[in-house]
Amino acid sequence: MDWNLKLVQTFVLVARHRSFSRAAEAALRSQPTISGQVAELEKQLGFKLFERSTRSVTLTREGARMMEAAE
């Protein structure tokens, strides 16, 4: 599968910051833009990358594997 580099970079930002809001601040983009890009990547891949709650963002098992591959 060909990865969209922009979507992967967004995923890595969220994974490193463990927050969609902080990733948006670091990328100088809006939080909805970041969320949308991650959702698009998850749709393309066919699995969730993050477990989301109102207080935290953690990688799923698949997300952790994706992070290893992205780094």
Side-chain angles (χ1 to χ4, degrees):
M1 168 182 222
D2 291 329
W3 290 2
N4 178 314
L5 186 57
K6 183 176 180 179
L7 299 181
V8 173
Q9 288 172 330
T10 300
F11 159 74
V12 169
L13 271 175
V14 174
R16 286 187 177 153
H17 288 278
R18 296 184 184 180
S19 165
F20 285 81
S21 297
R22 288 192 300 266
E25 288 173 17
L28 302 175
R29 290 184 250 156
S30 71
Q31 185 273 327
T33 298
I34 297 295
S35 294
Q37 289 176 341
V38 170
E40 178 59 29
L41 182 59
E42 289 175 327
K43 180 181 171 187
Q44 289 178 13
L45 295 171
F47 52 81
K48 286 176 49 174
L49 296 167
F50 297 102
E51 292 295 336
R52 301 157 172 89
S53 75
T54 56
R55 297 200 178 261
S56 68
V57 174
T58 57
L59 289 168
T60 61
R61 187 177 339 189
E62 294 85 359
R65 288 185 193 137
M66 176 81 172
M67 187 63 176
E68 286 177 18
E71 290 179 321

